[in-house]
């Protein structure tokens, strides 16, 4: 740390630490109590106890990591992941504590696929015997596993993957082979440099019993899972017949070694095929497979539910930074303010409020639905344990639609918050650069956001069909009830969206239900092609998912008892802002479904202003509720103590490695670092 | 380059190079002729002649730069910028050729502020004498200049900057001083490590003539420009009383050394103050300043016009990559297609078309308005030369509104294209990672996109006021004519938006004009506060700017003669798609201004489908028109020859430095590179 005259300087008064405390004094929202209600006492306690352990480790300091090269980011990620596992051993962390530590360190681990998909697939697809062999090795990290499904040429369409596993009855082994370049595995996390093993998804081919032997003809049995050793235990080099490596830099996820991998007639033994369900008799070469296991379907649903809760905390980070910074940041004065007061906090401009406050409301909306989803998922798991799969279709469609909508909201919300912060929002000290780059993968992974909405729409069309045709078995699902209720357009005095909280949620359900009937009619009755319907199906899915977000938000506040009226009122304001802001942005759909009138919509604008004015004084406390530690945020702009400018300057002045370099600015001289005679040394790094 | 069995592999048939040629064969759009018409023969010729020179320089190869650390990215940028200047000397490049070279290399130069704002400010603000001293040194790069206006605490509000320049009559020098930390200069490009000099914007303070001498009282005369030596000519170290450095990593612009800079009673001579307009007599300490020079106003306008044309080529890059890749990429089959044909090109899905094709149309829309802006700007410059400033207000508002809208369209468009490309869109070989990170600064710089729209709206409100009150001097501006025409809502049979190209442009003008009267009425007649109006003012600005984009698009096609009917028809389709797509996304405004009816809007959806179906076969040729060389795109997905997968694999397999590292995966061992015994060497880099 360099000492010079700048160490004596302070920001212009009033400084951020004064301003943010003034803000907190403006509101009486009980931050700790609300925080405990939302996040849970235990979760908060865990966060508090782990933080000092993590912050004590220099390896886990985030402050300068943006300066590193991509290979160094991988090595840093590897070092951190090793350290975290050693700490887990040392402190006997539970699974929850280990997950909490990873959440706070916020650096994707190169071992991620080992601890997620590799384990999960073994649990779901491996026979008891295979599990007994692999799971202990997995737990001790004696093998490091990855999951290799996606290929260069096929992602969403898993049935189209090209890698082949041909069964050879003579040697009782599979011949694993990549017939083309596009058959190359691609994107597979933890496999590029780290893993020793991988679950490989390949097309299973078995010689036809009756056909000629030269050339052998095969039955194609579709994609199956094989556990494959990829690298040598000692040298960590790829085994013969395998080419594997890291695919290179991406938008985000710098520490993750996403892989390419190809096979050339690579032999793997019979027991490499995971055989909990699909079985191949090594003696007779007879293949058997029971009906599709619903549990797998369930774990995809579970993953998508988790994404909703994750989206909530991601968006909370962006909103926390934006609210705190725009409260402290002052620029210009309101044109109608002719006083001698200091400049206006930028959050007081309506153009800033309209971008940040609806997103603050969205964080709460995501939370309440995340909670409901978690409960629904748990109760459904109990039903499945009793062989009752009746809730699966609804839950799957629910989780698909919410995954698409909520990751869109969070991904777009980060960028909206960033732009609302003006110049410093573009800076590295916003804390949003990595968050943004990493999160932008989410609208695509675990089901592309435009594609998986088809599943929701098809499900709703089925319900619409049953109700319209008055056939099939009626089920007590949410979609059934909703479409039953609004089989005809709501004809009455309309929904009192401006004065009745419940009517506002009704309006969202009416829009969704009416759109479901419209889409059904166009596709089935008018016979429009599916391709022509896809956009409207996407809109239907979002409309339905919004109706869930709004209804859950409504119901959860209704059930709240323990908080004072001021807090309850603010929550109702957040609810109403979320709903009306959404309605305004989707106005045409509300009109075309005859849900609201143009006159009602015209009144929405003023109501939104009023809500923003009422929420504004509570904004800082409402983000404090999310209890995001400075260590996690790693943001000068979003610091809890408001010392925005001091921290930015400290990072630039004291921590920036570029400032250790003195350059030679003379263009005629290729020397870059003054006096080094380095000529074009940088060339060697290209 | 590693040789192994993968060198024999080819992508699954049909390969990308076959597919893209099939696509080109489907359309007869005359690519070269249209390209020449749009970009100009001379420009294309220049691009063709410079490309081989640049591609011949290994230093200018982009293929592995994403792997570098941020300090190395700066050094690489420095090396490249030096090389380009040496090449300019060697090949006697014109200014245009030098700009073209920078455009193709596409790496921001650490000398950028030297060649832009430093020069421009000298030209505008320096006296003839000062220019004679500085400009030759500038031209020879003997001094490297930066521009230091923005501070940590003040960006948009230039009048609020805190840096002070106190005139000391005794020593005939200015005392340059930063009274607070927030007075630190911040963001100033080229200044962090590179520059030797800077134009510093500081508050000019002159001792009051009549006041007591102890303490001295000062007149505050507002921000002025001073040219200040910042670093020593020999050691390149900051001079005494100056602390300056690079602020650290940002979203993008890795090679740019954006600066912080503070002064402690740093003395600069009298002639440091740029004195073309503002003058301070060193003998009498008398200050004089003529009225605001309109030329400065003009150069801001010019900068914003350039941004529109820049946005066009940026968006063209994203759209080129997206169109080419989604043509080659195949995934699933249309549910209604039961043939044995290969999988469907993803661009044939309506959900992909609706994201990419309107953006393709937007590229053309931006182009035609960019052309018109350029002409308007040139003719206005001639009028200014004849002391006719009557067009300035209109042009300034025009350029502000278009800057805001067009940079929004381009910034959002890049991300829309990226997401439309699914998984590989998240990869580094999309060629969009740096483009996106760099371009995300544009909605904020040169006037924040939400803030500068106020200027447009205020201008339109003035026009609305004059027309409503029938007072003031009528001017023959576009806004005047438009608001005159639609002073009353259009009452007739409505605009025939679906069948009449011109009526479609009329509808956009009607919406904008009616919104202007609405905003005027709410603000002036109903007395709503400005803060309450800001959002609607923003919407008004966008509505007005859209009307310009649509009208120019319409007029430019109308004037086209030399192209065959097929091409003209496709251009009309692009025009109509751009307009109707925009209308659908802003439906409420079109309804609330009584521009179109709900029935008309309901018909828009089918028309958009039809337009997309018609444009689809021409998509590849329509992006070819923009003549973006592979060297510029640096994108596997967007390659002209369609060899998408081959190039991705080559980059991952042969060029990725991470693959030279073999890791030690054992978490109990802190060693990272196997056998190196590096322990926690990575710690030293934090």
């Amino acid at each position: 740390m360099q000492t010079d005259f700048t160490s004596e300087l302070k920001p212009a008064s009033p400084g951020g630490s004064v301003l943010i405390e003034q803000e907190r004094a403006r509101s009486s929202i009980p931050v700790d109590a609300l925080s405990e209600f939302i996040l849970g006492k235990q979760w908060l306690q865990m966060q508090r106890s782990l933080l000092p352990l993590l912050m004590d480790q220099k390896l886990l300091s985030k402050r300068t990591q943006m300066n590193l090269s991509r290979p160094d980011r991988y090595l840093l990620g590897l070092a951190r992941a090793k350290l975290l596992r050693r700490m887990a051993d040392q402190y006997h962390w539970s699974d929850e504590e280990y997950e909490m530590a990873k959440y706070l360190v916020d650096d994707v681990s190169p071992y991620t696929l080992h601890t997620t998909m590799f384990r999960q697939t073994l649990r779901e697809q491996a026979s008891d015997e295979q599990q007994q062999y692999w799971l202990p090795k997995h737990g001790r990290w004696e093998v490091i596993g990855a999951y290799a499904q996606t290929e260069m040429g096929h992602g969403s369409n898993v049935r189209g993957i090209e890698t082949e596993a041909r069964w050879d009855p003579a040697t009782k082994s599979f011949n694993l082979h990549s017939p083309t370049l596009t058959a190359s595995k691609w994107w597979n996390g933890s496999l590029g440099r780290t893993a020793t093993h991988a679950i490989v998804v390949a097309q299973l081919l078995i010689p036809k019993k009756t056909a000629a032997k030269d050339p052998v003809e095969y039955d194609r049995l579709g994609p199956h899972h094989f556990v494959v050793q990829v690298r040598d235990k000692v040298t960590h080099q790829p085994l013969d017949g395998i080419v594997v490596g890291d695919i290179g830099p991406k938008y985000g996820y710098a520490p993750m070694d996403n892989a390419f991998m190809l096979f050339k007639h690579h032999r793997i033994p019979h027991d490499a095929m995971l055989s909990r369900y699909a079985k191949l008799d090594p003696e007779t070469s007879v293949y058997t497979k029971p009906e599709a296991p619903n549990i797998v379907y369930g774990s995809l649903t579970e993953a998508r539910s988790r994404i909703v809760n994750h989206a909530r905390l991601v968006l909370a980070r962006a909103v926390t930074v934006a609210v705190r910074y725009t409260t402290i940041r002052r620029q210009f004065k309101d044109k109608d303010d002719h006083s001698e007061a200091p400049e206006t906090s930028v959050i007081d401009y309506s153009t800033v409020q309209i971008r940040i406050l609806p997103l603050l409301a969205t964080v709460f909306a995501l939370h309440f639905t995340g909670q409901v989803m978690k409960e629904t998922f748990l109760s459904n798991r109990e039903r499945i344990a009793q062989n009752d799969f009746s809730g699966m279709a609804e839950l799957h469609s629910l989780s698909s639609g919410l995954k698409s909508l909520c990751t869109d909201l969070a991904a777009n919300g980060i960028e909206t918050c960033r732009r609302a912060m003006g110049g410093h929002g573009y800076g590295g000290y916003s804390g949003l650069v990595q968050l943004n780059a990493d999160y932008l993968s989410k609208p695509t992974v675990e089901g592309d956001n435009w594609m998986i909405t088809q599943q929701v729409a098809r499900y709703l069309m089925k319900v619409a069909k049953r109700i319209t045709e008055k056939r099939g078995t009626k089920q007590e699902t949410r979609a059934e009830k909703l479409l039953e209720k609004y089989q005809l357009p709501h004809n009455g005095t309309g929904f009192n969206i401006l004065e009745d909280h419940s009517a506002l949620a009704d309006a969202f359900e009416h829009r969704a239900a009416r759109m479901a009937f419209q889409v059904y009619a166009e596709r089935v009755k008018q016979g429009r092609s599916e391709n022509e319907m896809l956009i409207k199906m996407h809109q239907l899915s979002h409309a339905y998912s919004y109706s869930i977000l709004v209804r859950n938000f409504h119901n959860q506040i209704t059930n709240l008892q323990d908080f004072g009226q001021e807090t309850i009122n603010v929550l109702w304001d957040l609810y109403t802002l979320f709903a009306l802001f959404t309605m305004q942005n989707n106005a045409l759909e509300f009109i075309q479904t005859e849900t609201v009138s143009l006159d009602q919509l015209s009144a929405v604008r003023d109501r939104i202003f009023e809500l923003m004015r009422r929420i504004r004084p509570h904004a800082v406390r409402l983000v404090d509720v999310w209890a995001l530690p400075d260590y996690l945020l790693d943001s000068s702009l979003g610091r809890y103590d408001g010392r925005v400018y001091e921290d930015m300057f400290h990072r630039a002045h004291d921590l920036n490695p570029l400032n250790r370099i003195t350059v030679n600015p003379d263009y005629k001289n290729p020397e870059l670092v003054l006096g080094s005679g380095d000529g074009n040394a940088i060339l060697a790094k290209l």
Side-chain angles (χ1 to χ4, degrees), chain A:
Chain A
M1 190 158 153
Q2 217 182 321
T3 311
D4 53 41
F5 66 80
T6 61
S7 54
E8 299 150 22
L9 292 172
K10 292 192 175 12
S13 296
S17 49
V18 174
L19 290 169
I20 200 124
E21 285 313 319
Q22 285 174 357
E23 282 291 332
R24 293 197 172 103
R26 290 174 72 181
S27 162
S28 62
I29 299 274
V31 172
D32 290 343
L34 198 53
S35 211
E36 280 184 11
F37 170 74
I38 283 179
L39 300 163
K41 205 165 184 163
Q42 197 201 345
W43 194 90
L44 287 166
Q45 176 52 38
M46 197 173 19
Q47 178 168 284
R48 266 193 298 273
S49 66
L50 285 178
L51 260 179
L53 294 180
L54 302 173
M55 292 173 67
D56 205 37
Q57 296 284 350
K58 194 189 167 204
L59 198 56
L60 304 180
S61 166
K62 307 170 187 180
R63 303 203 121 199
T64 55
Q65 68 193 27
M66 276 182 80
N67 293 295
L68 296 187
S69 70
R70 200 259 150 168
D72 280 344
R73 279 306 303 276
Y74 166 75
L75 290 176
L76 177 64
L78 190 73
R80 287 172 168 175
K82 288 184 177 194
L83 173 64
L84 281 185
R85 171 65 209 250
R86 290 196 301 269
M87 290 175 80
D89 288 358
Q90 181 186 351
Y91 297 105
H92 306 290
W93 282 343
S94 65
D95 274 5
E96 289 72 26
E97 285 169 316
Y98 181 59
E99 287 307 314
M100 169 70 82
K102 287 201 288 181
Y103 160 72
L104 292 169
V105 171
D106 192 34
D107 205 34
V108 60
S109 153
Y111 296 92
T112 299
L113 275 288
H114 175 72
T115 55
T116 56
M117 284 298 283
F118 183 71
R119 177 170 62 172
Q120 190 177 321
T121 310
L122 286 176
R123 286 182 176 169
E124 287 168 0
Q125 300 289 344
S127 66
D128 290 344
E129 216 180 349
Q130 288 172 324
Q131 290 189 2
Q132 276 161 29
Y133 179 81
W134 287 109
L135 288 179
K137 288 180 189 293
H138 168 275
R140 292 189 299 267
W141 291 26
E142 279 173 27
V143 299
I144 305 297
Y147 182 80
Q149 176 177 300
T150 301
E151 296 177 354
M152 216 182 206
H154 286 88
S156 296
N157 183 11
V158 180
R159 298 205 67 81
I161 63 166
E162 299 179 69
T163 304
E164 294 174 347
R166 273 169 212 259
W167 173 244
D168 176 2
T171 60
K172 297 204 189 333
S173 67
F174 296 97
N175 182 343
L176 208 55
H177 188 63
S178 314
T180 66
L181 191 64
T182 38
S184 176
K185 294 295 170 187
W186 198 267
W187 275 124
N188 327 106
S190 306
L191 179 60
R193 307 312 296 155
T194 317
T196 60
H197 288 66
I199 305 235
V200 174
V201 179
Q203 301 283 356
L204 175 61
L205 277 78
I206 298 182
K208 281 188 199 291
K209 287 280 164 193
T210 54
K213 294 290 170 192
D214 190 22
V216 184
E217 287 180 12
Y218 288 89
D219 284 321
R220 299 184 71 92
L221 295 161
H224 283 70
H225 295 94
F226 301 85
V227 59
V228 180
Q229 181 177 350
V230 171
R231 289 186 172 92
D232 183 81
K233 209 178 156 64
V234 175
T235 65
H236 203 61
Q237 291 299 319
L239 302 187
D240 275 354
I242 299 181
V243 168
V244 58
D246 175 272
I247 60 169
K250 305 136 290 195
Y251 265 72
Y253 282 90
M256 176 56 87
D257 53 325
N258 297 90
F260 64 84
M261 179 163 66
L262 288 135
F263 303 97
K264 182 172 184 178
H265 299 300
H266 180 75
R267 293 277 167 167
I268 52 175
H270 171 263
D271 60 8
M273 184 173 129
L274 297 186
S275 54
R276 181 158 212 88
Y277 303 101
K279 288 186 173 66
L280 177 69
D281 187 313
E283 306 305 327
T284 63
S285 299
V286 170
Y287 172 84
T288 52
K289 194 178 182 187
E291 58 185 285
N294 274 297
I295 295 148
V296 181
Y297 203 38
S299 75
L300 186 66
T301 305
E302 189 183 6
R304 288 183 184 164
S305 318
R306 267 201 308 270
I307 285 181
V308 176
N309 264 317
H310 178 246
R312 161 196 75 151
L313 284 177
V314 163
L315 188 57
R317 280 168 68 172
V319 171
T320 297
V321 172
V323 165
R324 289 183 182 157
Y325 171 67
T326 57
T327 301
I328 288 160
R329 179 71 172 181
R330 292 172 172 242
Q331 203 80 176
F332 292 111
K333 287 169 67 175
D334 189 311
K335 284 275 184 291
D336 295 324
D337 176 0
H338 304 290
S339 73
E340 289 297 309
E343 293 174 277
T344 308
S345 285
V346 300
I347 200 176
D348 286 321
Y349 291 107
S350 62
T351 40
V352 173
Q353 288 185 3
I354 197 71
R355 289 182 279 171
I356 297 177
L357 296 185
L359 290 173
L360 173 59
T362 304
V363 174
F364 285 84
L366 295 179
H367 168 73
F368 289 122
T369 283
Q371 292 301 102
V372 172
M373 282 294 287
K374 210 159 132 185
E375 287 158 24
T376 314
F377 176 77
L378 288 175
S379 78
N380 189 60
R381 195 150 64 179
E382 281 170 24
R383 285 164 70 185
I384 289 176
Q386 292 152 19
N387 276 317
D388 170 5
F389 299 105
S390 62
M392 290 291 297
E394 165 104 1
L395 192 57
H396 182 67
S397 115
L398 215 70
S399 66
S400 302
L402 286 169
K403 185 271 169 182
S404 174
L405 177 60
C406 298
T407 54
D408 267 14
L409 287 172
N412 299 340
I414 296 168
E415 176 63 7
T416 301
C417 286
R418 189 193 71 70
R419 289 194 205 171
M421 294 191 287
H424 291 318
Y426 189 74
Y429 308 141
S430 64
L432 301 186
V433 178
Q434 184 183 315
L435 182 73
N436 191 28
D438 285 354
Y439 198 77
L440 283 184
S441 62
K442 288 289 182 288
T444 305
V445 297
E446 311 262 5
D448 178 89
N449 273 5
W450 279 73
M451 223 194 61
I452 57 173
T453 53
Q454 294 172 26
Q455 300 166 13
V456 189
R458 285 198 202 108
Y459 169 76
L460 292 173
M461 282 158 70
K462 260 188 216 163
V463 176
K465 179 182 164 73
R466 199 202 57 71
I467 290 172
T468 306
E469 298 181 356
K470 301 187 194 307
R471 286 196 297 199
T473 317
K474 185 172 167 179
Q475 292 179 320
E476 284 303 311
T477 64
R478 183 176 186 281
E480 288 265 348
K481 288 181 212 158
L482 210 143
L483 268 66
E484 287 270 16
K485 184 171 175 189
Y486 296 123
Q487 193 179 353
L488 298 173
H490 181 76
N491 275 325
T493 52
F495 299 97
N496 188 2
I497 56 166
L498 295 172
E499 284 161 36
D500 180 342
H501 292 141
S502 186
L504 188 52
D506 291 342
F508 274 79
E509 291 175 348
H510 181 263
R511 168 182 68 142
R514 294 308 305 153
M515 281 174 72
F517 286 111
Q518 279 174 11
V519 168
Y520 163 70
E522 288 186 4
R523 172 72 173 137
V524 178
K525 291 192 183 163
Q526 298 166 31
R528 289 201 188 217
S529 74
E530 169 151 302
N531 195 3
E532 220 179 317
M533 293 306 300
L534 288 178
I535 298 168
K536 203 143 188 180
M537 286 162 70
H538 182 67
Q539 291 162 343
L540 166 60
S541 172
H542 274 10
Y544 185 68
S545 300
Y546 267 122
S547 80
I548 293 162
L549 289 178
V550 173
R551 176 58 71 193
N552 286 335
F553 202 157
H554 174 271
N555 290 353
Q556 297 285 311
I557 307 179
T558 309
N559 295 334
L560 279 183
Q561 303 286 346
D562 301 347
F563 295 96
Q565 199 54 46
E566 181 178 13
T567 304
I568 301 284
N569 287 346
V570 172
L571 288 173
W572 278 125
D573 285 347
L574 288 168
Y575 161 77
T576 314
L577 179 61
F578 175 71
L580 291 181
F581 180 79
T582 303
M583 186 177 278
Q584 199 174 44
N585 289 336
N586 297 271
L588 195 56
E589 290 179 5
F590 282 89
I591 294 173
Q592 284 178 336
T593 53
E594 299 173 66
T595 306
V596 298
S597 68
L598 267 174
D599 283 348
Q600 284 179 302
L601 272 175
S602 299
V604 163
R605 174 178 157 229
D606 281 342
R607 178 55 60 91
I608 287 176
F609 270 115
E610 190 194 328
L611 291 163
M612 295 199 301
R613 192 181 50 71
R614 294 210 303 243
I615 293 167
R616 162 70 186 88
H618 307 288
V620 168
R621 280 186 179 244
L622 286 170
V623 299
D624 287 351
V625 161
W626 296 93
L628 298 158
D630 282 344
Y631 172 72
L632 174 63
L633 293 175
D634 189 38
S635 163
S636 303
L637 307 188
R639 280 174 73 98
Y640 182 85
D641 67 5
R643 293 169 61 84
V644 169
Y645 297 114
E646 295 93 321
D647 195 51
M648 279 174 67
F649 190 75
H650 167 58
R651 291 180 187 233
H653 184 259
D654 305 324
L655 304 180
N656 180 4
L658 186 57
N659 289 328
R660 290 179 217 131
I661 294 169
T662 302
V663 306
N664 181 340
D666 175 10
Y667 81 86
K668 290 178 180 160
N669 189 340
E671 179 183 78
L672 300 177
V673 175
L674 191 67
S676 71
D678 58 359
N680 266 331
I682 193 73
L683 255 184
K685 299 194 178 182
L686 273 185

